[in-house]
Amino acid sequence: MKVLVVKTSSMGDVIHTLPALTDAAEAIPGIVFDWVVEEAFSEIPVWHPSVRRVIPVAIRRWRKDPLTALRSGEWGRYRKALAAETYDAVIDAQGLLKSTLLATRLARGKRYGMDRASAREPAAALFYDRGIAVPKGMHAVDRTRRLFAGALGYTMPERRGRYDIEGPPRAPADTPPYLVFLHGTTRHEKHWPEVYWTELIVLAVAEGFRIKLVWGNAVEQARAERLASTNSMVEVLPRSSLTTIAQVLSQAAGIVSVDTGLSHLAAALGRPNVVLFGPTDPGLVGGYGDRQICLKAREFPASGRSVDPAVFAPLTPEIVLATLDRLLNEGEAR
């Protein structure tokens, strides 16, 4: 059975789709998937053993300069790749008009997606041959698992979903142990205060950890370098591919992260991860997997600290490190 998956972005959403492939592979022996995904995230699908082919799409870039995409032939090559197969099923797991218009409707095969009551953009359901009802109160991972089960005709397993990542290959473990701090995210109000990161570094180094920092743009690089300048046990990694970052995360003793796509990668790799939430709610999109703890700043008493963003003031470095220590100790006790 050949299935085309349309899940283009964002990083966390792409990672959240992997357990649905695991369910389907267990239910339908021999099933293979092709996957339409944004070019920036094209490394991720191939980590799953059931993915045969990745079809990169550049919706974000094309929207900025559609004429260049047409004149260069890039759009034509993409459409040719998309139409190269006739699929037993085309599953639009994005649920947006842009994904439907630029991918799902152009593919060859019976089209499935969430129905009007379930989709993120109800109008997208007009382009499906069959809409699948999926409850909105479920975690994003389980919503996608339910969609695949309905489209492909099996019952979603009751157990928690498994990512089943085969790659990336592991790098040799470093000693002494290190932590990775994932400090970069999209919106200012989702950032844990920089002064708190600095204090957490001091506390973690005192416990014998080294710290590794990753970054993805100039703003994040500058923040990482400022944090590293405060302590010789902090290393700023060079700008890296997702595969390389996954290798670093896979060997970390533990991770502290804000609400960001790389936090979902840490969850998929099964690494101990404390995720810090300020204005956003982790209920439907928080860490999914073993050894994931989401801390919501609003659930802690006022600290009296004046920080920016102010919403994070109650979630102090002492609370974060104590939570991580507990998580690591629980893992050692197993």
Side-chain angles (χ1 to χ4, degrees), residues 50-302:
S50 295
V51 173
R52 180 186 63 169
R53 182 171 68 126
V54 173
I55 303 174
V57 66
I59 295 174
R60 296 177 176 181
R61 181 163 52 82
W62 293 344
R63 288 170 64 184
K64 295 178 181 178
D65 192 0
L67 289 179
T68 296
L70 288 170
R71 291 169 179 165
S72 68
E74 188 176 12
W75 170 250
R77 290 189 294 273
Y78 161 72
R79 291 197 61 169
K80 183 177 180 180
L82 198 58
E85 295 271 1
T86 297
Y87 295 96
D88 298 292
V90 177
I91 302 179
D92 185 343
Q94 196 78 33
L96 299 177
L97 275 173
K98 67 177 182 181
S99 60
T100 301
L101 295 173
L102 295 179
T104 309
R105 73 178 183 87
L106 302 176
R108 297 164 59 188
K110 189 171 182 179
R111 302 174 183 91
Y112 298 86
M114 295 185 188
D115 66 14
R116 288 183 59 85
S118 309
R120 291 167 63 184
E121 292 183 0
L126 296 173
F127 295 89
Y128 307 144
D129 297 307
R130 182 183 166 202
I132 308 297
V134 178
K136 287 190 173 181
M138 304 172 72
H139 190 282
V141 170
D142 290 329
R143 295 194 82 219
T144 305
R145 295 174 69 204
R146 181 69 65 89
L147 168 63
F148 274 57
L152 300 177
Y154 58 85
T155 300
M156 186 182 101
E158 294 184 1
R159 60 159 172 77
R160 182 161 58 193
R162 300 197 310 267
Y163 297 94
D164 276 9
I165 290 178
E166 280 193 340
R170 289 194 160 205
D174 283 357
T175 55
Y178 66 84
L179 305 176
V180 178
F181 291 168
L182 301 176
H183 56 93
T185 187
T186 52
R187 305 198 320 257
H188 172 74
E189 62 269 24
K190 292 167 62 177
H191 282 279
W192 201 46
E194 190 169 326
V195 64
Y196 277 2
W197 284 116
T198 301
E199 293 173 13
L200 182 62
I201 287 169
V202 173
L203 296 172
V205 168
E207 290 193 357
F209 290 109
R210 292 183 297 121
I211 312 298
K212 295 192 178 187
L213 303 176
V214 301
W215 54 275
N217 57 46
V219 172
E220 293 176 6
Q221 181 184 18
R223 184 189 308 111
E225 291 174 349
R226 287 194 300 271
L227 292 173
S229 70
T230 68
N231 198 298
S232 62
M233 297 300 286
V234 180
E235 177 187 4
V236 178
L237 300 180
R239 185 164 191 168
S240 305
S241 68
L242 287 176
T243 299
T244 299
I245 292 172
Q247 290 173 343
V248 173
L249 295 177
S250 71
Q251 296 296 334
I255 298 161
V256 178
S257 58
V258 290
D259 180 11
T260 183
L262 289 177
S263 177
H264 300 296
L265 178 54
L269 294 168
R271 303 313 302 153
N273 184 23
V274 177
V275 194
L276 314 179
F277 285 86
T280 51
D281 186 353
L284 302 181
V285 293
Y288 185 101
D290 294 331
R291 297 185 290 178
Q292 307 296 302
I293 295 180
C294 297
L295 298 181
K296 294 187 284 187
R298 297 183 188 278
E299 293 184 349
F300 292 90

